[in-house]
Amino acid sequence: MLDDLITGISLGFFLSFMIGPVFFILIETSITRGFKAAITFDLGVIIADAIFFTIAFFSSFRLIHAIKDDPALFIFGGLIMLTYGVISFVRLKRVQVDTLLLTPPNLRKDYLNLFVKGFLLNFINVGVLGFWLAIIITLGPKMEMDSKRMFIFFGFTILAYFITDIFKIALAKQLRRKLTPHNILKVKKVSSLILIIFGLAIMLKSVIPLEKKQSISLPIITNKTD
């Protein structure tokens, strides 16, 4: 149990600082929308991770391993991210700078939109599914593929990830005092461009020739409680 705890905490801390669209949008949300807004966005990201981990754990390893390299999924996920980034950037060109203010969410609908945004931004990236599959394949046998141990490990990982993100959000929030409408516009434009870049990068994975798959023996999940 102690080894699972240490491994989970270490992985969670590492995940929190992985450079990707979620990392940048979380910081942007904290700066422009506030602490609660960023936490809501982050919870959406975590739920997507939980779903991917559950799918990877309980589904057929061979099926998931094949799906995660499907070019169509990279094109689909990348296109959605690219489209969202382009639309956001185009809308910002039409915005009057003086109207840009630091506006925390006021309605439940605003928080729901932030939650869904975090969820979808993570869920459309098929690479996240591949990451959790790799983690399960690598660490699962060491935990005897025990479902209880695996999910406790995942719980430690997500908890460490979330706590680290709270510190990141709190630090990013300090920048709010220095933001003028012009700076807010710059931050929003940068976050839109980041989505465009990562969307293109994800789509690029679909055209990069895949290495020849080698026939490997994958572990079979067994539930120790059965």
Side-chain angles (χ1 to χ4, degrees), residues 57 61 136 140-141 143-147 150 219-222 224:
F57 186 81
F61 273 100
I136 291 174
M143 300 180 190
E144 301 178 337
M145 296 308 295
D146 187 315
S147 58
M150 291 293 293
I220 299 175
I221 296 176
T222 57
K224 296 297 182 181

Side-chain angles (χ1 to χ4, degrees), residues 178-192:
K178 300 181 180 180
L179 287 184
T180 63
H182 282 89
N183 289 335
I184 295 173
L185 181 61
K186 289 179 182 178
V187 170
K188 288 182 174 292
K189 281 186 175 181
V190 168
S191 66
S192 297

